Structure formats: C-alpha cells, structure tokens
Amino acid sequence: MTRLFDVFEGIRLKGILIILFGTLLFGFGIIHFNLQNGLAHGGFTGITLLFYYLFAIEPSLSNLLLNIPLFIIGYKLLGRVMLIYSIIGTIALSASLRLFELYPVTQLPLQDDMILVSIFAGVFTGAGLGLIFRAGGTTGGADILARLANKYTGMSLGRFMFTFDAFVISVSLIHLNTTMAMYTLVTVFVTSRVIDFIIEGASAAKSTMIISDKTEEISDEVIKRMSRGSTVLTGRGSFTRDNRDIMYCVVNRNELVQLKSIIDEIDPYAFVSINDVKEVSGEGFTFDQSQRHMTPAQ
C-alpha cells in the first residue's frame, strides 16, 4: 500500500481536473471543427484523422493504438509524475473523442466559411493542449517522439515538432487538396499561438529597468502606491563614467501605466527600458494577496 502511495506522490487532483477539461476542449475542436469539415491536423492527431479519412478508423481508437507503444518506449524520459499525467491525458483524450463521436453537441454548417472553421479549430485545440501542458501532462504522441529525438540526435524539441507537423500535413495531401491543406496550416498556427497564450500569457508581465538620480524616491513610491518591490543594482555610465543606481522592477501589464506615471512625476528625465516577461512567479504574482507583506524599508 505504501508503494502504491509512493507511485502517486506529487499527483494533484487539480492537475488531473485541468487535464480532463483540456481533453474535452481538444476533443470538441477535433470532432466538431476538424473532422466535420474535412480538415487535417498536425502531430499524432493528424495521423488519427488521416486514418479516419482513409480507412474509417475512429480517432478515439487509433489515438490509443498509436500511443501505447510510445509510452512503453519513452516512459523513462518523461519522469513518473509527467508519465502518469500523460497517460491520464491520452486516455481522457480518447474518451473525449469517443464521447463527441457518439454524442455530437451540434452540427455546425460552416463549410462555406473555412477561415472561421480553421480559427475556431485552432482556438479549441490550442486551449485544450495549453491547459494539458500547463498542468504538466501531454497527450503522448509527437511529444514523446520529440524527447527521443532530442536525446539520441540532439534535435531541439521545437524543431522536431515543427518538422513532424509539416510531415504529417504533407502526407495528408493524400486525402486533402491544396486548399484544405492551407486551411489546416492556419489551424496549426492558431493552435500554437493559443498554446503559448495559455502557458505563458496568464503569467505575462513587464520588466522595467529605470536609471535615475531619484531611484530611491521612485522605489519608495512604487512600494507605497503599488505594493511592488524592486531591486536596485549599481552600474556605471560608459560615457560619464559615473556610478548610477539601476532599478529593476516587474509589474503586471495593467500596472505599467501607473508605474510610468510615478516615474514621470518624480523624474521625467529618467531612462526607462521596458521588456516583455513571458512567465513570472513569486511574491506579488503567484501568492495570494494575504501572503504579500511588502512594506517600505525602515
């Protein structure tokens, strides 16, 4: 019994629920937009759709048959927690596909507007995969192949995924015409952008580098008005050779205007550099408000 608990150590119910919801979104998108309108897809999902178009094999079945041997081959590369989440994701995806195969929510007559089909297919599949990835799982397939390729050939994960998607879509030309293949590329592009937004966008922020003679005053006002901390670094100007304080501060997007207002109010001549931050964690971002204890230094 103790060993059984050890196997599932680190597995969280919240993560499982997110994966299950993600597979429902993904399955809905594949069945109601890709399959109903004759679109292909990248990755192993694209192979399952191709099998359906050519041999009438249900995607829910071919998804399981294709992934089982890959889990056997690549289980050591995933790690225990990710392996369990991925197995859950793969089984749940097949169940979601089967659910929507048997009980379609709606028939959407969108064949005359394939741009709309392509976009919504990408939104649903991207949102589903993004939630699955964010929870620490995968849907198996190309992700495992990418890790194997990275280990034994040194090919990057992103390069392999792009190459594999391009290969699957190219093979899908057996069934698709060129126009449908181009719509499929639109779907794959939207999918990738939505995945990035789900994984990174929710935690996106702005980092600022502020060089000013009044760094301490700016820092105090940022703490007072925004409850945001900062780090003051010491640098030296290459032209003047003077030592200067450099204030580094990370804020949410919606706080950037307030930060710039504070800077302009205290030192309108300050040099300010602003950059995108794809992910941020820690006090003020991933802690609850009640856990924040930012106060000015005494």
Side-chain angles (χ1 to χ4, degrees):
M1 183 64 70
T2 303
R3 290 184 178 181
L4 181 61
F5 284 124
D6 290 342
V7 169
F8 289 97
E9 184 180 358
I11 305 299
R12 299 289 181 264
L13 178 60
K14 179 181 178 181
I16 294 175
L17 293 176
I18 291 174
I19 289 173
L20 294 179
F21 183 64
T23 58
L24 284 173
L25 289 178
F26 187 84
F28 179 86
I30 290 296
I31 299 299
H32 287 275
F33 291 101
N34 290 71
L35 191 138
Q36 285 186 11
N37 297 282
L39 284 179
H41 201 73
F44 265 43
T45 305
I47 297 177
T48 64
L49 288 174
L50 187 59
F51 282 175
Y52 176 79
Y53 295 140
L54 295 177
F55 310 114
I57 301 175
E58 301 293 346
S60 54
L61 176 61
S62 56
N63 179 66
L64 275 180
L65 295 178
L66 288 171
N67 275 294
I68 288 173
L70 283 179
F71 279 119
I72 296 173
I73 295 171
Y75 74 97
K76 289 185 178 179
L77 297 176
L78 295 177
R80 178 181 53 80
V81 173
M82 189 174 187
L83 175 64
I84 293 174
Y85 279 147
S86 298
I87 291 174
I88 292 172
T90 301
I91 295 173
L93 176 57
S94 286
S96 297
L97 291 170
R98 189 57 179 163
L99 175 66
F100 292 119
E101 288 167 1
L102 295 175
Y103 307 104
V105 175
T106 182
Q107 295 287 338
L108 300 173
L110 296 174
Q111 286 81 5
D112 294 333
D113 194 345
M114 290 304 296
I115 287 293
L116 196 61
V117 170
S118 302
I119 292 173
F120 271 88
V123 168
F124 275 97
T125 56
L129 286 174
L131 288 173
I132 293 168
F133 294 157
R134 192 173 177 87
T138 72
T139 55
D143 183 74
I144 298 176
L145 288 178
R147 292 170 187 273
L148 289 171
N150 178 258
K151 179 177 181 179
Y152 294 109
T153 69
M155 181 182 291
S156 69
L157 299 180
R159 182 180 176 186
F160 179 88
M161 296 290 282
F162 176 80
T163 304
F164 190 78
D165 283 349
F167 170 75
V168 171
I169 294 173
S170 298
V171 172
S172 296
L173 288 171
I174 297 172
H175 169 75
L176 300 179
N177 57 39
T178 306
T179 302
M180 296 302 287
M182 293 173 70
Y183 283 129
T184 296
L185 288 174
V186 173
T187 295
V188 171
F189 175 76
V190 174
T191 297
S192 66
R193 300 303 297 169
V194 174
I195 289 173
D196 288 343
F197 176 78
I198 295 294
I199 294 177
E200 301 170 351
S203 298
K206 297 287 186 179
S207 69
T208 60
M209 299 283 285
I210 305 160
I211 302 175
S212 169
D213 293 328
K214 301 178 180 180
T215 300
E216 187 173 338
E217 296 174 45
I218 295 173
S219 176
D220 288 345
E221 284 301 308
V222 169
I223 293 173
K224 180 180 176 181
R225 300 189 200 177
M226 302 174 60
S227 295
R228 287 286 179 208
S230 61
T231 299
V232 178
L233 312 171
T234 301
R236 188 177 69 174
S238 61
F239 181 74
T240 63
R241 302 295 179 181
D242 292 336
N243 290 331
R244 305 289 294 274
D245 286 339
I246 304 171
M247 176 180 163
Y248 177 75
C249 183
V250 178
V251 296
N252 287 320
R253 289 176 179 175
N254 59 352
E255 295 175 318
L256 185 60
V257 172
Q258 185 180 8
L259 175 62
K260 291 168 69 175
S261 176
I262 292 173
I263 297 170
D264 289 340
E265 179 183 321
I266 297 175
D267 184 4
Y269 299 102
F271 178 86
V272 182
S273 173
I274 301 172
N275 294 288
D276 290 323
V277 178
K278 289 188 175 181
E279 186 169 355
V280 60
S281 62
E283 185 169 357
F285 292 92
T286 53
F287 291 168
D288 294 334
Q289 184 70 27
S290 60
Q291 294 176 284
R292 296 176 63 177
H293 54 270
M294 192 64 61
T295 55
Q298 300 298 321

